[in-house]
Amino acid sequence: MSPTAAWTLYERLLFDEELRDAFAADRDSVLHQHGLAEVDRARFCAMSLAGLQADAEGRRRSLMAALCRAYPLSAAAIGADNPRALSRFLSGPALFLPLAERSARFGDHLSALLDTLEDHIPEVAGRLIRAVLSVERALVDNAAALRAAAGRGEAPGPPSPPSRGVTSV
């Protein structure tokens, strides 16, 4: 097994809580399922579960802070009662996408969470949060366009307006 496979398993252990729980309960089974070489298995067997948990929690907080920074109002409104729902994004494949795509996918995640909340919040609140999310998504999209233009050495184009399903509040 290559060192890349060991790193891939370590990344999964950091961001997949179910796999981390399974690893804590039965390391040998998890390591066998991932087919690690003996030297890598020995390293994982010697790993501190408390250290792994601390590393995972620190990275989760850091990544969630970075993701929510782009969507401060909508993330706060949508995740106020259920921060774990926001954190579920970290266990999906979008976490490993480039920044612009990851930020856009997090906006999609927020929109999907809002869809599940709309039956439990006043209609006007849902419309207001959706409008704020649309503005924040436009800012995220424009920031990505600016970074891309700068990366190509070009002047940025005009900003795009918030236009993803905004309805009047």
Side-chain angles (χ1 to χ4, degrees), residues 16-75:
D16 185 335
E17 193 170 345
E18 289 179 18
L19 181 62
R20 199 167 47 252
D21 290 344
F23 180 75
D26 186 358
R27 290 182 191 211
D28 287 333
S29 175
V30 169
L31 296 174
H32 179 73
Q33 290 170 5
H34 288 84
L36 294 181
E38 249 343 279
V39 66
D40 292 326
R41 289 173 60 88
R43 288 182 183 129
F44 277 91
C45 284
M47 186 179 291
S48 161
L49 292 176
L52 176 63
Q53 185 61 36
D55 192 7
E57 183 60 24
R59 290 173 193 251
R60 185 194 67 76
R61 284 184 184 155
S62 177
L63 287 167
M64 285 309 302
L67 289 164
C68 291
R69 196 172 303 122
Y71 298 93
L73 300 175
S74 53

Side-chain angles (χ1 to χ4, degrees), residues 42-147:
R43 288 182 183 129
F44 277 91
C45 284
M47 186 179 291
S48 161
L49 292 176
L52 176 63
Q53 185 61 36
D55 192 7
E57 183 60 24
R59 290 173 193 251
R60 185 194 67 76
R61 284 184 184 155
S62 177
L63 287 167
M64 285 309 302
L67 289 164
C68 291
R69 196 172 303 122
Y71 298 93
L73 300 175
S74 53
I78 294 167
D81 291 333
N82 193 356
R84 289 183 70 88
L86 289 180
S87 295
R88 271 189 237 122
F89 180 81
L90 298 179
S91 61
L95 176 65
F96 300 103
L97 293 173
L99 175 62
E101 292 175 61
R102 182 175 58 237
S103 296
R105 294 275 183 88
F106 187 65
D108 295 342
H109 180 69
L110 290 171
S111 183
L113 290 174
L114 182 55
D115 289 344
T116 66
L117 291 175
E118 286 184 321
D119 291 340
H120 309 288
I121 59 175
E123 181 183 346
V124 69
R127 289 195 332 250
L128 178 61
I129 295 168
R130 196 158 300 280
V132 168
L133 177 57
S134 177
V135 169
E136 289 174 339
R137 286 186 76 140
L139 291 170
V140 166
D141 292 346
N142 285 316
L146 285 171
R147 280 191 301 275

